[in-house]
Each structure stands twice: as C-alpha cells, then as structure tokens.
Amino acid sequence: MEEKEKTEKQPLAIVRDDPWLAPHAQYLENRLEWYRKHMRFIEEHCNGLGYFASGHRYFGFNYDPQKKGWWFREYAPSAQSVSLMGDFNGWDAEKNPLTRLESGTWETFLDENTYRERLTPFSKVKLRIVSDNGALDRIPAYIRRVIQDPETFDFAGQFLPESSFRWENPGFRLSEDFTPLIYEAHPGMATEDGHVGSWREFADTVLPKISYLGYNTLQLMAVQEHPYYGSFGYHVSNFFAPSSRFGTPDDLRYLIDTAHGMGIAVVMDLVHSHAVKNRAEGLCEFDGKRELYFVDGPSGNHPGWDSKLFDYGKMYVQQFLLSNIAYWMEEFRFDGFRFDGVTSMLYYHHGNQAFDSYDKYFGKDTDNSAVLYLQTANTLIRSRYPTALSIAEDMSGMPGACRPVEEGGLGFGYRLAMGLPDYWIRLLRDRRDEDWDMEQMYYTLLNRRRGEANIAYVESHDQALVGDKTVAFWLMDSHMYTSMSVFTPDPVIDRGLALHKMIRLVTLSLGGEGYLNFMGNEFGHPEWIDFPREGNGWSTKYARRQWSLPDTDHLKYKFLREFDRRMIGFEKQTGLLRLPFPRLLNADQTNKVLIFSRGKYVFLFSFSPQKSIEDYEFFVPQGGNYRIVFSSDDPETGGFSRVREGYRFTSFEKDGVDFLSVYLPSRMCMVLERVGDAPKKKARKGK
C-alpha cells in the first residue's frame, strides 16, 4: 500500500497551487503530453528545435560559400510553377524558373560570377507564382526588406546580402533578477514635427530621453513590415522584414546596439496573432486558392480585425513563425518579445465572451494548436536566451499563461495587466473623487494570480489613440490647452497633476512585477494619436510626440516628467517590485486614505479632494523610526511643499500595537522607510 502511494502520480504544479483547477487536471495533463510528443517529433524528425526554427537560413536568399553564389528557395507546394524576377534579370519571369523538390519547396541557384554585377544590395525582386488562382506576382515569404514605390504604390522585395554591421555592445544580456520597466514606443511617430521618423533618429534623439527617465526596457512597436502605416504595425505583411519606412535593417541594428550601450533592453512587439489580408504584399492565397499559411475558409478571417488567421496546426506554419522568432533574436539581438493578440490566438471566439469560470479557459472554444505553438515558442526563446523577456498580451487571464510549460503553463514570463487601464478609465469617467472606494482600488490593483508575473500600467498606446482618451485628458481635458503655464493657476490642472502622479505610483506599487508607460504619457502628452488616413486628409500632424513641452520651463508638463523620472528611480533604488507582496494597513473610506506596506516601506495615498489631516494615526507592522523617502508634494514635481523628504516619524504604542502619526495633506502620496528602532516611549492610551 505504501509503495502504491509513493508511485502515485503527482498533480501538475499549476494544479497543486490552485485546487480550483482540479476539474481540469486531466486536460492540463493531456495538453502537456501533447507538447512533449510535439517536441519529441521535432527532435526525432526535424533535427531538433534549433534546426526546425532555422527556416530563414534555408528559405529566401542564402549565400553558399562553397558553391559561391546564392540559393533562393520558397515553399509553395500547390504552385504549378515559380519564377524569380527582378532588376537582376530585367523582370523577365522566363529567365530564372525555380525547380520543384519533392517536399513542395522550389529552388534556384544564382552563381556569384554570373550575377555579381546585377544582383546588388537592394536590388528589387518578386516571384511569379502560377497556380489555381492564376499567375500572380508575389513577394517572397522570407524576404528581409520590402519597399513601396511612392508613385505607383507597388511593393517589391529587395535582395540583401549578409549584414556587415559591427556590434559595439555584443555582450549585453539581461540578469536573472531583471525587473522590466518598459517604455513603449513607436519609431515613426516619435518626431516633434510629425514627419515619419527613422530608426536612427529614434536612437539618437529618443533613446537619451528614455535613458534619462530611467526605464530599462524599450518595447518597440511597428517593427515588422506593414503596408498601412495607420495600422500601428499590427497588419503585418512581411514577417522577416523590418519596416523600410523607418530605414534599413542595419539602421534597426544601430538602434538596438545603441540601446544596449545605454543598458536598455529592447523587446519587439511581435505580431503572430494575425496577418494583413492583402494578396499583393502578404501571404494570403500564396500558392493557390487554398490557404497555405492561414486557416482555410471563412474561419480564417478575423471578424474584428479584417485580417487573416494563421493555422497553427500546420507544421510549416509553426516552422515559419518559430524561425521568425529565431531570426529577430539572431539577426537583431532583441532581448525578448511582447506577443500581440494572445487572447485572439487562444480561443476560436478570439476573446469575444466573458471569462467568468475556469471552464471558459479549457473547453471546446480553446484552440489547442495555438496553445501548442505558444508553448513551443516560449521554449525556443528560453533555449536561445534564458533570461529573455516573453510577455503575453492576454486579457482572458488564462491560468498558467505565465507558468513554465513543464508545470502545466504556456511558458510566458509576464502578462500585461490589461484590466488596470480599464479600471482607471471607468473610475475617472463614472465616479466623483468623493466616491472613490479605497478598498476596491487596493484589491483591484492586486487582482492577479499569485506566482504569475504581471506588467502593470495605467495606460498604453491603446488609450492614446483617436477614439479614446489618455488619463491626462480624462483629468484635465481642454484646460491643458489654456492653463499649463506655471503663471496660470487652475484648480482643474492642480487636481489633474496631483492625481496623474498618484495614479501612477499606486499602480506601480501594487499592480504587478513590472511596469509599462507609453511614450509621452509620462508627461501628460496633450494630444491623441491620429495616423495619416483619408478622414484627416492623410495628415501626420497628430502622429507625433511634442518632446519640447516638458523641456519648456514655464509649462507644467515638466512636473509630470520629473515625477515619473523620480518614481522610476525610486523603484530601481529600492527594488520595489521584488519586495514582499503588499500588506493593507488602512483603507479609510471616510478620509479617502489608502495605506499599505511592502518590506520596510510604507505607502500613504490621500485621495481626499480637500481634507488635510494634521495628526493622522495608523497601524504599522513594525515599530521604529520612519522617514519620508519619496513624495508627490515636492515643488519640482508640481507639489506644494506640505511635506518634505527626510522628515522622520517615530512610532508609538497604543493598546499594545505600533502606530505612526503623520501630517497627511490632501491629494498627495508619500513613501516612508523604516530606518531603525525607536527609543522606548510611553504608550498612548487608546481613543
């Protein structure tokens, strides 16, 4: 009997840690076994995961040093014929036909001696593919650069030889205890005057600003080529091509290398959740009417995004996407990925339903092929770069998304805490300041699965787009256009500045194990983002960031930027997000005060619109001396000098419990640090 108990199968770690998952234990076991079988198949039949994810070294253009020339290969099993054409052969589809192999791959060899003078860097190329959907000119699937003719608007691939870029910071790697403080940014709209910015402009002008603020991670948007600028980079057409509207691939390498030199990691906003439906630029109906890369038929169309959905159950699609991950890591040295649209990938309904029970995560609506792909992708990332960041944009909250695969999870390192921006918008839109619920705020910000890391944020690019409003706009609206001068008093602006700072600090302190900010939001950028489109006359006026605003001494934007810089510095100095889980000390609904502790630090937030309290008493977990180490009330951050950093408080006993008494002004926050034991003092009597 004892032997039987010893050999009894132990439940997965994810189930042990969350007994509510017990009804789904068998599904999770089956899912893990399916993953293990998949990995065994890749090991035995595909020469291992590393080789399987090296499609970019086989398909497209690749130089053969032994034969002295370039192989070009394309996978198009349903094609009747495939030809390579371009500048190098006068766009003659008859001159360079490809030969079909048994696998469905087509190939041709371009001898260096023959094509040296004609196949030069940036030569334009296309494929002529003849299939059951006719003869169509297509851009190669693995092409590494795509450009658009400004007059004809026609797209073409470009031939690029091996890069000769010299990396100045080749040894940059993230430490195991790295805490991501992320600055989300779009390179094209990072200019002041609205012109489409470049990789190099961003590196030279914006990276120093990010470094000054103290963020240690850049989340770079719109990297993969996309034909429509206004899609924010989310309608990708060419997955291996950095967007040419921002410069050359080497320019992107320069940006990443420059960031590494500043100690800033670079995470790529990776779009593997869908693709642009355009045939001319993208992969739709690539080798015939039946889809090669996407789910065939109506279910291959995303109902909300007007785009195509990958068929993750096809081994070739997995190879294409996994090779894409390996390519960006190898060729450009990205330090990780933020996976876009994970919720859409995980469920056949793409997230268009409530997730109000565990049954919704593991039922018939879950796309197990997508689950398997994400598990494999995270395994690949960890095998290449053990400390790389892998972040899921998942609003469903699937249990285990951020647990290791062998524990029953998907293998992500972090999940974006997507409910937090929604909470703040609802609060600012629907509730008076006097009606804010302190306890609800505390538990909403802590509402996440223990053991699964989250990236907290108040707002991202989603809240900055036309059709939405940033937190600064919710707080101050049109007053931002008239009253942001330091010489113009305005109670609306005073309230806005105070709450903007407090909302950020309480979110950073409670909301996750990492933090994110979208560029410009740290100083309350006064405009939304509106990309060029027909509705605005194709103007770039609002696809910009007004960096000069916080640099202008008489404008109050400088206060918000300075607070953000100090807040990020405080986190880095204290290791705040690695401290023990918060402990609620006081949620005072009457006075609108929220107090909690983390380690030796005590956080005080007074959300009261008017009430300042001279002698506010509250419980502390440990008696001693406490000093103010951070505050939103400094004049350099737009405060009113009602408290000052360095001021000390000494605890006292009341009814055998340790208390502090502080002056607590309205609409401000401060952090106290315990700096030593207090001398024994006579206990106060309870009131």
Side-chain angles (χ1 to χ4, degrees), residues 212 484-488 497 547-562 635-638:
Y212 170 76
M484 287 299 278
S485 167
V486 296
F487 305 111
T488 308
L497 297 182
W547 304 109
S548 60
L549 293 177
D551 290 332
T552 303
D553 193 53
H554 70 271
L555 295 180
K556 298 172 185 175
Y557 297 101
K558 66 179 183 180
F559 296 142
L560 296 181
R561 182 180 66 179
E562 180 60 16
E636 292 184 7
T637 66

Side-chain angles (χ1 to χ4, degrees), residues 79 104 110 142 187 254-255 297 340 521-522 578 608-609 636 667:
L110 303 173
Y142 283 80
Y254 171 78
L255 187 162
D340 170 69
N521 285 357
E522 72 278 3
R578 296 191 301 276
S608 173
E636 292 184 7
R667 279 198 184 126

Side-chain angles (χ1 to χ4, degrees), residues 33-73:
E33 184 54 33
W34 189 19
Y35 162 80
R36 289 169 175 165
K37 286 180 179 178
H38 183 61
M39 295 303 294
R40 286 197 296 269
F41 179 87
I42 290 175
E43 190 66 36
E44 295 169 7
H45 300 283
C46 306
N47 296 317
L49 183 58
Y51 186 80
F52 182 63
S54 64
H56 55 291
R57 298 188 178 279
Y58 181 77
F59 294 105
F61 286 101
N62 284 285
Y63 186 74
D64 187 331
Q66 295 181 328
K67 292 192 68 172
K68 304 294 183 184
W70 292 273
W71 284 101
F72 178 84
R73 299 184 180 94

Side-chain angles (χ1 to χ4, degrees), residues 572-588:
K572 294 170 78 172
Q573 178 185 350
T574 61
L576 169 62
L577 299 186
R578 296 191 301 276
L579 293 177
F581 210 68
R583 177 181 178 181
L584 180 63
L585 304 182
N586 192 7
D588 182 345

Side-chain angles (χ1 to χ4, degrees), residues 31 234 268-274 302 305 309-310 312 321 325 337-352 355 360-361 365-375 377-378 381 389-403 409-418 452 457 462:
R31 191 171 78 176
Y234 290 122
M268 177 177 169
D269 206 336
L270 185 73
V271 184
H272 282 181
S273 49
H274 64 136
H302 195 291
W305 295 347
L309 297 168
F310 284 106
Y312 305 105
L321 296 175
I325 289 172
F337 302 93
R338 177 264 202 187
F339 281 73
D340 170 69
V342 168
T343 307
S344 177
M345 298 171 72
L346 289 174
Y347 310 100
Y348 292 118
H349 53 67
H350 310 299
N352 290 325
F355 293 91
K360 301 292 182 67
Y361 297 113
D365 290 325
T366 302
D367 186 343
N368 291 315
S369 295
V371 169
L372 181 62
Y373 166 66
L374 292 171
Q375 290 174 318
N378 282 313
I381 292 168
L389 296 171
S390 180
I391 304 168
E393 190 212 21
D394 171 38
M395 49 74 63
S396 77
M398 175 180 272
C402 301
R403 294 287 292 265
L410 300 186
F412 286 103
Y414 295 87
R415 169 195 281 120
L416 289 177
M418 299 180 70
E452 298 197 41
Y457 62 108
D462 287 326

Side-chain angles (χ1 to χ4, degrees), residues 206-263:
V206 182
L207 279 178
K209 301 179 192 300
I210 298 172
S211 178
Y212 170 76
L213 291 169
Y215 289 88
N216 59 21
T217 306
L218 166 65
Q219 183 177 300
L220 199 57
M221 305 177 68
V223 174
Q224 296 163 292
E225 189 61 80
H226 48 290
Y228 180 45
Y229 185 43
S231 76
F232 231 130
Y234 290 122
H235 275 192
V236 173
S237 54
N238 314 104
F239 287 78
F240 290 81
S243 180
S244 61
R245 59 172 55 87
F246 308 137
T248 69
D250 276 353
D251 292 338
L252 175 57
R253 292 183 176 93
Y254 171 78
L255 187 162
I256 295 170
D257 193 38
T258 303
H260 287 171
M262 296 177 176

Side-chain angles (χ1 to χ4, degrees), residues 97-391:
L98 276 63
T99 302
R100 191 186 196 282
L101 307 179
E102 285 187 14
S103 63
T105 296
W106 298 76
E107 69 176 15
T108 188
F109 182 75
L110 303 173
D111 182 81
E112 186 176 38
N113 292 327
T114 304
Y115 291 99
R116 184 193 304 272
E117 301 300 323
R118 287 181 282 167
L119 192 62
T120 57
F122 304 107
S123 293
K124 295 179 183 178
V125 295
K126 280 190 176 184
L127 294 174
R128 173 73 54 81
I129 298 180
V130 179
S131 63
D132 59 7
N133 60 353
L136 297 173
D137 294 344
R138 308 301 300 259
I139 295 173
Y142 283 80
I143 201 71
R144 301 188 181 191
R145 182 168 164 83
V146 175
I147 60 168
Q148 183 180 28
D149 188 299
E151 295 182 1
T152 66
F153 302 106
D154 184 42
F155 286 83
Q158 285 189 314
F159 166 75
L160 287 181
E162 294 290 321
S163 171
S164 58
F165 182 83
R166 289 188 58 186
W167 294 87
E168 299 293 331
N169 303 283
F172 182 87
R173 280 292 184 272
L174 300 181
S175 62
E176 290 189 6
D177 62 351
F178 183 79
T179 297
L181 302 169
I182 302 172
Y183 199 84
E184 182 187 35
H186 185 291
M189 54 158 289
T191 62
E192 179 97 13
D193 62 6
H195 78 268
V196 179
S198 69
W199 305 118
R200 284 187 174 268
E201 282 180 292
F202 189 93
D204 294 339
T205 63
V206 182
L207 279 178
K209 301 179 192 300
I210 298 172
S211 178
Y212 170 76
L213 291 169
Y215 289 88
N216 59 21
T217 306
L218 166 65
Q219 183 177 300
L220 199 57
M221 305 177 68
V223 174
Q224 296 163 292
E225 189 61 80
H226 48 290
Y228 180 45
Y229 185 43
S231 76
F232 231 130
Y234 290 122
H235 275 192
V236 173
S237 54
N238 314 104
F239 287 78
F240 290 81
S243 180
S244 61
R245 59 172 55 87
F246 308 137
T248 69
D250 276 353
D251 292 338
L252 175 57
R253 292 183 176 93
Y254 171 78
L255 187 162
I256 295 170
D257 193 38
T258 303
H260 287 171
M262 296 177 176
I264 299 173
V266 186
V267 169
M268 177 177 169
D269 206 336
L270 185 73
V271 184
H272 282 181
S273 49
H274 64 136
V276 73
K277 68 179 184 180
N278 306 22
R279 285 200 310 181
E281 300 93 66
L283 300 170
C284 183
E285 296 183 6
F286 190 77
D287 68 342
K289 292 179 181 177
R290 189 170 181 82
E291 291 288 5
L292 175 61
Y293 290 92
F294 308 120
V295 177
D296 206 49
S299 57
N301 302 311
H302 195 291
W305 295 347
D306 193 31
S307 54
K308 302 296 294 183
L309 297 168
F310 284 106
D311 188 340
Y312 305 105
K314 296 175 181 176
M315 285 297 288
Y316 179 69
V317 171
Q318 283 217 17
Q319 183 182 40
F320 178 80
L321 296 175
L322 292 169
S323 298
N324 193 235
I325 289 172
Y327 165 77
W328 291 111
M329 296 182 79
E330 292 170 8
E331 291 292 325
F332 296 92
R333 307 195 179 189
F334 278 99
D335 301 291
F337 302 93
R338 177 264 202 187
F339 281 73
D340 170 69
V342 168
T343 307
S344 177
M345 298 171 72
L346 289 174
Y347 310 100
Y348 292 118
H349 53 67
H350 310 299
N352 290 325
Q353 72 165 42
F355 293 91
D356 49 9
S357 76
Y358 278 12
D359 295 340
K360 301 292 182 67
Y361 297 113
F362 309 116
K364 57 182 176 56
D365 290 325
T366 302
D367 186 343
N368 291 315
S369 295
V371 169
L372 181 62
Y373 166 66
L374 292 171
Q375 290 174 318
T376 309
N378 282 313
T379 299
L380 173 67
I381 292 168
R382 297 283 181 267
S383 70
R384 296 293 178 95
Y385 190 159
T387 55
L389 296 171
S390 180
I391 304 168

